[in-house]
Structure formats: C-alpha cells, structure tokens
C-alpha cells in the first residue's frame, strides 16, 4: 500500500529560485505493498515532508494510499488515507497529521498488489488541471515513496506524458532493496523524454527519482537530490506559458 500527500507551495517558493510565483504542490506517496518496514517509509515521509510543508500556506495535505485492501474490503490503487469517503486532506498540522493518518491506515488497511502508479498520478494531474480554471500561478508536486516494483509501466508513462502539460512535478523516493530500473526509466535523465502508447512525446521532464538506500549510505541528501530539478521544472512550465512572477505583476499593475 502506498500513501500520498498534497503539499501547497505559495509565494515561499521563492526560496527555491529567484522568481516569485505563487504555487501549490501536490503529493507524497509511500509503498504499502511489499515488505519494507513501515518505519523506513515513515522516515522518508518525515524527512521530505518536513521540508516541503513549509512551502504550503495552510499545511492541509491531501493524502492517498494505493496497493491496499481498504476499509471496506476492496483493493484500491488510490484511496483516501484518512479513511473518509468525502475528503482526502488529513488536517492542518503538516507532517504530524500525515504520519498520524499513515499510522492509522497501517492498522486498518492490509497489503494488496499489484503496485500501480497510474491512478494516483491521474488523480494528482486532475487536481493540477482543475486549478488552471481559477489560478494559473499555482504549481503542484506529487511525492511518491515506493518499493520500485511497478506493474503498470506503460499506463504510468501515458499518465506522465499527459501530465507533462500541467503545472505538476513528481518526486519519487525508492525504499528497500528492490530493482529500481523502472523508476530510472520514468526519470528520463538520459535526455530522452517519455513516450506514450500513442507515440506522443512528453512536453517536458516532470519526474525526479532518488533511491533511499543511497541516502542512508551517506552518498546524497534526499532533500537536496529530490529538489535538484524542481526549480527548473517549475520555471520551464511558467515561462513557456508566459506566467509572470507575482512581484512583476504587481509592479506592472502599480505602474
């Protein structure tokens, strides 16, 4: 089972780059299905969430799970981590509420396969797409924590190609000792953009992948590695759509 959480990035995003946009980030996910200790996943959520949450204006994070038999006995690949049918946010206390929802779900949701990314990515993409109708300055981040054994690779590629047109970046953290070859494919750091099953090429690279075992071995900082490409992805999206930074917009209005 995987949990996912939505982070909002507002004008504080300026700490990541020199342009002042208002933004809103989307989600974090951690693998529920395979036998990776819950503490490992929780550590990943905490370490990354404690950084990202400070870019969120209200610290109310939507949180989902996937790859689990949920509260009503059905296997789901995108369910509300809080156990409620009517809303996916977990509270206003940032990472603390995320971890509380995660701990509760561990006691109420059993492991179930296969591991599918597509539905969670599509859900995050839908939220990002809906924001365009009321605020084009928002930007979203989906943080996924997974064991790396993916069984819907092509569907995931299709979802990522569609999402590449939206104000969305996806950060993936690999936990455990699984083969993360598929995650490297999604990351597309080889310079080749992802292609869909209909031969459509992604507008831009929106994925960054980091294996947690390299972090624990001291080779890299998970936060630094995850956020390394985010400012560039963010600015590429905004500039391609001629969305001006807030301070520029206000200066032009005052003039």
């Amino acid at each position: 089972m995987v949990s996912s959480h939505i982070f909002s990035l507002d004008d504080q995003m300026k700490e990541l780059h020199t342009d002042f946009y208002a933004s809103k980030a989307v989600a974090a996910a951690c693998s529920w299905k395979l036998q990776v200790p819950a503490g490992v996943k929780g550590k990943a959520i905490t370490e990354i969430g404690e950084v990202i949450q400070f870019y969120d204006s209200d610290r109310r994070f939507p949180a989902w799970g996937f790859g689990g038999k949920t509260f009503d006995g059905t296997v789901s690949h995108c369910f509300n981590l809080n156990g409620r049918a009517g809303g996916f946010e977990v509270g206003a206390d940032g990472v603390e509420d995320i971890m509380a929802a995660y701990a509760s779900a561990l006691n109420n949701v059993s492991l179930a396969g296969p591991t599918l990314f597509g539905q969670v990515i599509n859900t995050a993409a839908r939220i990002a797409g809906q924001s365009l109708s009321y605020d084009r300055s928002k930007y979203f981040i989906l943080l996924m924590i997974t064991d790396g054994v993916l069984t819907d690779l092509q569907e995931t590629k299709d979802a990522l190609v569609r999402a590449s047109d939206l104000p969305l970046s996806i950060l993936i953290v690999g936990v455990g000792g699984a083969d993360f070859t598929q995650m490297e494919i999604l990351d597309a750091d080889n310079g080749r953009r992802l292609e869909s099953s209909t031969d459509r090429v992604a507008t831009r690279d929106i994925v960054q992948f980091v294996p947690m075992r390299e972090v624990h071995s001291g080779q890299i900082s998970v936060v630094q590695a995850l956020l390394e490409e985010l400012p560039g992805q963010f600015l590429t999206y905004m500039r391609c759509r001629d969305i001006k930074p807030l301070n520029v917009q206000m200066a032009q209005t005052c003039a």
Side-chain angles (χ1 to χ4, degrees), residues 1 33 74 107-108 116 142 176 191 199 206 208 221 224 231 254:
M1 170 172 147
K33 188 179 78 68
T74 60
N107 293 324
N108 294 284
L116 307 178
L142 171 62
D199 297 327
I206 63 172
Q208 173 73 342
S221 159
Q224 180 181 2
C254 293

Side-chain angles (χ1 to χ4, degrees), residues 24 82 90 133 136 151-152 155 175-176 201 206 228 232 249:
K24 186 174 182 66
N82 58 23
V90 295
S133 64
R136 294 175 64 239
T151 54
D152 66 336
E155 180 182 346
V175 295
V201 179
I206 63 172
E228 181 179 9
Q249 293 178 15

